[in-house]
């Protein structure tokens, strides 16, 4: 796929032929033990993409009567796509193990996006958020080891480092320091718009997941750790959500989202190693082309504009699903001390008082992220398995 | 029984990714923990939170004892009857869940075992006795004037404990040996729990309840022997 306009020639699967059965939606999960970690990464990511498609579509429907039916029709398929994807996660994943996988998604996908992003400010924002999700992985890995006696690397399969990043206790910022500058819709590359839609959706899902599973834990430290990190994920949604241009019309945002879904399923289908899951990505790529074509028709009808205005132009290579270890280390070494002052990235020494005051109060009765990770050093099999010389 | 374990492409261990593991260990050496201390801090915090915590819930006052003076209550129901009621509530919940757990195991065995396997018959027999035990405990609770439909604190905790067992038994991907291992956990506890319950009923001044439980305890002894034997026999045949 060179350009999205090339894809536009393909009409995909018509909406009326996008059918499911309950049994296939609640189908066989992948193997936690035998499947590659990146198969799980793609599953989690694409569930995030689909649930964000539902979210955006509901938002648009609140403001547009004419679009309510076509959006509802597409949402029905998206609901079932999300189900079929999310149900691929087996019940032998504990919620904390799934959490580790969520952070692997955030790290590896955001790192890939940061390197592909042509807009320097947007790329900087991805690198900034990346170091925070990287640190969440370390805190959750310590929690997994010290709560359940499990090794996070059983989930990560060696692809992702388990070391401190920008300390979670320093992520909590005043809202005024979480808003970012947005791209300009008329000058931004399509891939920039796609990246913003993708990462916002992925972070939204992570936030919602932590909010749902946090209270399932009995351990007060685990409950508090989820509270602390869910709040950072809400900041991330704020941050990434502000990257897109608020002057884009609703339908323009819909078009970008559908284009993003096409691009992401194409990326997944290209790299999937499990043939059964690859068939799902290919099937859903065709479904998304059907959705994109519906969105294009409504764009022409309601806005009297050519969708090529939005979708024309080259797209870079597919999102690469692979270990981004070297890139992450470089970013960590160079940017761990970055903080934000409004939309501007500054050195730690220049972090605004508003964020410091905000954070100090929240932490005044203790920080679970510090307590659970005190002195934690990953070792193969977990810290109890470390060989004593 | 179906083969317990198969060789395959398990990706979880470090031996599957030696280069990545080397890189990961280098990172661990270079980037040290940023919070001083060790896991003891978490333990101290848990101590503090446990001291601060409220309890999980209460034992309901028996309907027949409502409005009684404390002394009359004790006389009718024995000393600290709430302890016995709580443990009876636990046993009732455990046996009721136990019926469902055996149902799940029977479904697994029907799918994976030969049709003429004696396993399914053994499972059905135990399942039916768990059902009898549930009714036995319900009657005991009723003789104390308590409510067998209430979820007591120990019943609630028993439900939390058996969540993992239920997940193992109802996962269609687990094999017969894994399911039987889960049932062994249940039967080991069940056996000890009946023994304790009989002692508690006697100590609490309810010899008739204690007496009515002896048969159940004997049946539980039999369950434990049967499940242990089946687990052992199956795995030893496969390993030879």
């Amino acid at each position: 796929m060179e350009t999205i306009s090339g894809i536009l020639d393909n009409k995909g699967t018509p909406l009326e032929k996008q059918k499911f059965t309950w049994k296939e939606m609640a189908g066989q999960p992948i193997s936690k033990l035998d499947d590659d970690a990146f198969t799980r990464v793609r599953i989690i990511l694409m569930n995030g993409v689909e649930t964000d498609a539902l979210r955006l579509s509901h938002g648009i429907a609140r403001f547009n009567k004419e679009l309510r039916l076509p959006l509802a029709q597409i949402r029905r398929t998206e609901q079932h796509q999300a189900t079929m994807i999310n149900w691929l996660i087996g019940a032998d994943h504990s919620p904390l193990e799934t959490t580790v996988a969520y952070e692997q998604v955030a790290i590896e996908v955001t790192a890939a996006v940061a390197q592909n992003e042509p807009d320097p400010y947007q790329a900087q924002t991805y690198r900034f958020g990346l170091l925070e999700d990287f640190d969440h992985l370390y805190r959750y890995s310590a929690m997994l080891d010290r709560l359940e006696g499990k090794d996070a690397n059983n989930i990560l399969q060696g692809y992702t480092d388990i070391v401190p990043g920008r300390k979670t206790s320093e992520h909590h910022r005043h809202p005024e320091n979480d808003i970012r500058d947005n791209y300009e819709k008329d000058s931004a590359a399509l891939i920039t718009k796609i990246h913003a839609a993708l990462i916002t959706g992925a972070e939204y899902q992570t936030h919602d997941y932590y909010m749902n599973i946090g209270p399932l834990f009995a351990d007060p430290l685990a409950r508090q750790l989820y509270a602390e990190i869910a709040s950072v994920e809400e900041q991330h949604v704020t941050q990434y959500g502000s990257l897109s241009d608020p002057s884009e019309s609703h339908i323009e945002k819909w078009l970008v989202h559908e284009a993003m879904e096409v691009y992401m399923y194409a990326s997944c289908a290209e790299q999937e190693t499990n043939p059964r899951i690859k068939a799902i990505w290919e099937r859903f790529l065709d479904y998304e082309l059907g959705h994109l074509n519906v969105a294009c028709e409504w764009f022409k009808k309601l806005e009297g504009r050519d969708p090529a205005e939005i979708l024309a132009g080259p797209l870079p290579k597919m999102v690469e699903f692979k270990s981004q270890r070297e890139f992450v280390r470089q970013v960590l070494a160079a940017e761990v001390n970055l903080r934000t002052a409004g939309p501007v990235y500054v050195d730690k020494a220049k972090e605004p008082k508003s964020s410091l005051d905000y954070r100090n109060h929240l932490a005044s009765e203790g920080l679970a992220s510090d307590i659970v990770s005190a002195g934690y050093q990953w070792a193969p099999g977990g810290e109890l398995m470390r060989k004593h010389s | 029984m179906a083969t317990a374990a198969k060789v395959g492409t398990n990706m979880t261990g470090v031996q599957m990714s030696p280069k990545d593991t080397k890189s990961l260990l280098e990172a661990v050496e270079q980037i040290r923990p940023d919070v001083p201390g060790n896991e003891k801090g978490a333990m101290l915090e848990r101590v503090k939170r446990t001291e601060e915590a409220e309890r999980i819930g209460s034992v309901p006052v028996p309907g027949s004892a409502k409005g009684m003076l404390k002394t009359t209550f004790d006389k009718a129901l024995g000393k600290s009857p709430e302890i016995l009621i709580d443990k009876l509530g636990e046993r009732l919940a455990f046996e009721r869940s136990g019926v469902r757990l055996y149902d799940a195991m029977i479904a697994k065995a029907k799918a994976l075992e030969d049709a003429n396997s004696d396993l399914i018959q053994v499972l059905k027999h135990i399942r039916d006795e768990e059902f009898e035990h549930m009714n036995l405990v319900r009657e005991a609770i009723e003789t104390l004037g308590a409510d067998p439909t209430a979820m007591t604190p120990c019943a609630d905790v028993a439900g939390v404990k058996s969540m993992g067992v239920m997940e193992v038994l109802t996962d269609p991907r687990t094999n017969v040996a894994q399911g039987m291992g889960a049932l062994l956990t249940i039967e080991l506890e069940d056996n000890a729990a009946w023994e304790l319950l009989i002692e508690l009923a006697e100590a609490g001044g309810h010899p008739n309840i204690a007496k009515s439980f002896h048969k159940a305890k004997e049946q539980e002894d039999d369950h434990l022997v049967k499940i242990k034997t089946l687990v052992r026999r199956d795995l030893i045949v496969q390993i030879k």
Side-chain angles (χ1 to χ4, degrees):
Chain A
M1 188 173 75
E2 289 290 312
T3 65
I4 202 98
S5 51
I7 280 196
L8 270 178
D9 299 335
N10 187 340
K11 298 289 178 197
T13 307
L15 207 49
E16 63 275 14
K17 290 193 175 167
Q18 300 186 1
K19 289 183 175 176
F20 299 83
T21 67
W22 298 121
K23 189 175 177 186
E24 68 173 348
M25 275 187 264
Q28 298 264 2
I30 58 161
S31 170
K32 177 176 113 178
L33 310 181
D34 293 359
D35 271 292
D36 188 85
F38 275 100
T39 293
R40 181 173 39 230
V41 163
R42 285 182 283 270
I43 288 166
I44 292 170
L45 179 66
M46 295 316 290
N47 182 59
V49 164
E50 287 299 348
T51 50
D52 195 60
L54 291 173
R55 190 179 294 120
L56 175 67
S57 171
H58 277 298
I60 296 170
R62 288 186 187 184
F63 299 101
N64 192 314
K65 190 171 176 69
E66 200 173 8
L67 284 176
R68 283 186 178 177
L69 180 58
L71 286 172
Q73 287 167 329
I74 290 178
R75 274 203 309 273
R76 192 58 49 87
T77 297
E78 285 167 337
Q79 161 68 20
H80 294 158
Q81 286 176 278
T83 308
M84 197 160 151
I85 295 167
N86 202 25
W87 266 234
L88 290 170
I89 301 294
D92 48 341
H93 291 83
S94 73
L96 197 38
E97 286 179 308
T98 305
T99 296
V100 165
Y102 267 58
E103 293 299 346
Q104 185 171 39
V105 174
I107 294 161
E108 302 299 353
V109 176
T110 310
V113 162
Q115 293 168 86
N116 254 1
E117 173 53 51
D119 179 314
Y121 179 81
Q122 302 252 331
Q124 171 68 83
T125 301
Y126 296 125
R127 295 197 304 274
F128 183 77
L130 165 66
L131 290 189
E132 299 191 334
D133 288 321
F134 184 71
D135 192 76
H136 298 166
L137 176 65
Y138 169 71
R139 310 296 157 185
Y140 279 133
S141 297
M143 184 91 250
L144 180 67
D145 192 344
R146 291 174 172 179
L147 182 69
E148 299 183 12
K150 291 180 186 166
D151 177 0
N153 194 51
N154 289 159
I155 299 295
L156 302 169
Q157 297 178 3
Y159 292 123
T160 312
D161 287 338
I162 308 169
V163 293
R166 180 181 304 120
K167 220 174 164 188
T168 293
S169 57
E170 297 179 20
H171 298 179
H172 302 106
R173 292 174 285 275
H174 191 277
E176 67 189 16
N177 301 315
D178 280 325
I179 308 294
R180 303 286 164 260
D181 291 336
N182 56 273
Y183 61 69
E184 299 294 333
K185 68 182 172 68
D186 295 330
S187 56
L190 175 58
I191 190 64
T192 295
K193 299 174 185 179
I194 284 178
H195 283 161
L198 170 67
I199 301 298
T200 304
E203 293 289 320
Y204 227 129
Q205 164 181 245
T206 305
H207 167 264
D208 290 358
Y209 182 68
Y210 295 167
M211 291 298 284
N212 281 315
I213 65 157
L216 298 183
F217 287 84
D219 178 46
L221 283 169
R223 292 169 76 87
Q224 188 174 319
L225 181 65
Y226 274 90
E228 290 172 15
I229 296 182
S231 186
V232 181
E233 302 301 347
E234 160 56 25
Q235 292 177 227
H236 284 182
V237 179
T238 300
Q239 160 175 288
Y240 293 126
S242 57
L243 288 177
S244 71
D245 190 337
S247 69
E248 286 171 315
S249 68
H250 291 148
I251 200 162
E252 200 169 337
K253 286 199 184 292
W254 179 25
L255 211 56
V256 168
H257 209 285
E258 294 294 0
M260 179 269 279
E261 293 170 57
V262 168
Y263 175 65
M264 290 313 301
Y265 280 117
S267 298
C268 290
E270 180 195 71
Q271 295 162 63
E272 183 56 62
T273 51
N274 179 327
R276 182 169 68 89
I277 310 303
K278 187 182 177 79
I280 295 175
W281 304 142
E282 287 169 346
R283 173 178 164 186
F284 288 177
L285 170 59
D286 282 342
Y287 284 15
E288 290 308 331
L289 286 165
H291 302 172
L292 179 61
N293 275 283
V294 173
C296 285
E297 289 307 311
W298 281 99
F299 186 70
K300 287 183 215 166
K301 189 176 169 188
L302 293 185
E303 303 214 348
R305 294 161 66 191
D306 182 352
E309 278 179 41
I310 314 293
L311 304 177
L315 268 182
K317 59 189 177 180
M318 299 288 107
V319 170
E320 276 192 293
F321 295 105
K322 63 167 197 177
S323 173
Q324 305 288 352
R325 168 173 279 129
E326 290 313 316
F327 175 75
V328 175
R329 284 190 193 170
Q330 288 164 21
V331 176
L332 183 64
E335 302 185 8
V336 70
N337 286 328
L338 280 190
R339 301 292 183 269
T340 57
V344 180
Y345 294 100
V346 297
D347 185 74
K348 190 175 180 172
K350 293 184 178 167
E351 184 162 29
K353 187 170 180 295
S354 58
S355 283
L356 298 176
D357 288 348
Y358 167 77
R359 175 187 307 158
N360 286 340
H361 175 73
L362 280 165
S364 59
E365 290 191 278
L367 270 160
S369 61
D370 276 4
I371 295 170
V372 304
S373 63
Y376 186 73
Q377 261 191 308
W378 178 81
E383 69 178 349
L384 296 175
M385 298 264 281
R386 185 176 293 119
K387 289 173 184 152
H388 295 283
S389 50
Chain B
M1 287 188 198
T3 308
K6 284 195 170 75
V7 174
T9 56
N10 185 311
M11 310 275 278
T12 59
V14 292
Q15 286 181 7
M16 286 299 288
S17 45
K19 277 171 72 180
D20 279 330
T21 304
K22 188 166 172 277
S23 294
L24 173 50
L25 283 168
E26 282 166 9
V28 169
E29 278 310 305
Q30 286 164 16
I31 305 168
R32 312 296 290 185
D34 55 358
V35 179
N38 53 36
E39 71 266 39
K40 284 180 186 155
M43 185 186 280
L44 289 174
E45 188 65 23
R46 284 182 183 136
V47 169
K48 194 173 154 203
R49 300 293 182 101
T50 304
E51 287 165 353
E52 291 167 0
E54 296 175 2
R55 300 281 71 88
I56 213 159
S58 62
V59 179
V61 176
S64 63
K66 277 181 189 161
M68 281 185 188
L69 290 171
K70 178 80 171 74
T71 47
T72 324
F73 178 83
D74 286 350
K75 195 173 174 188
L77 300 176
K79 202 175 172 191
S80 298
E82 63 275 14
I83 291 174
L84 185 61
I85 291 168
D86 194 13
K87 296 304 279 184
L88 286 168
E90 175 188 1
R91 209 74 254 116
L92 170 58
F94 194 99
E95 300 294 329
R96 189 172 54 191
S97 296
V99 173
R100 302 306 187 192
L101 296 177
Y102 272 93
D103 282 341
M105 186 63 214
I106 290 165
K108 187 175 295 299
K110 279 188 172 175
L112 302 176
E113 285 290 288
D114 295 336
N116 57 359
S117 158
D118 60 350
L119 174 67
I120 294 167
Q121 290 314 312
V122 173
L123 292 171
K124 281 182 175 170
H125 174 78
I126 299 179
R127 182 246 185 238
D128 291 345
E129 288 188 344
E130 301 292 1
F131 180 66
E132 282 175 31
H133 298 172
M134 179 199 84
N135 282 317
L136 184 66
V137 182
R138 177 172 64 182
E139 285 161 18
I141 293 172
E142 284 168 348
T143 62
L144 295 173
D147 181 356
T149 69
M151 180 183 279
T152 70
C154 280
D156 186 28
V157 171
V160 175
K161 273 196 294 184
S162 58
M163 280 198 293
V165 173
M166 185 196 69
E167 290 287 276
V168 170
L169 289 168
T170 56
D171 192 330
R173 302 171 304 162
T174 55
N175 61 32
V176 169
Q178 288 156 347
M180 293 301 286
L183 285 180
L184 181 57
T185 305
I186 291 293
E187 290 298 347
L188 281 165
E189 179 184 345
D190 210 11
N191 195 279
W194 278 99
E195 193 176 287
L196 175 64
L197 199 56
I198 291 169
E199 281 182 45
L200 285 175
E202 280 169 353
H206 298 283
N208 290 339
I209 290 179
K211 197 176 166 194
S212 72
F213 286 171
H214 282 293
K215 186 183 167 201
K217 171 67 174 70
E218 283 164 20
Q219 288 173 331
E220 291 296 349
D221 288 343
D222 178 55
H223 296 176
L224 184 55
V225 170
K226 282 194 166 97
I227 297 294
K228 276 170 88 169
T229 305
L230 284 165
V231 169
R232 189 189 299 120
R233 188 184 72 187
D234 176 51
L235 289 173
I236 287 175
V237 165
Q238 289 186 49
I239 211 165
K240 275 183 179 172

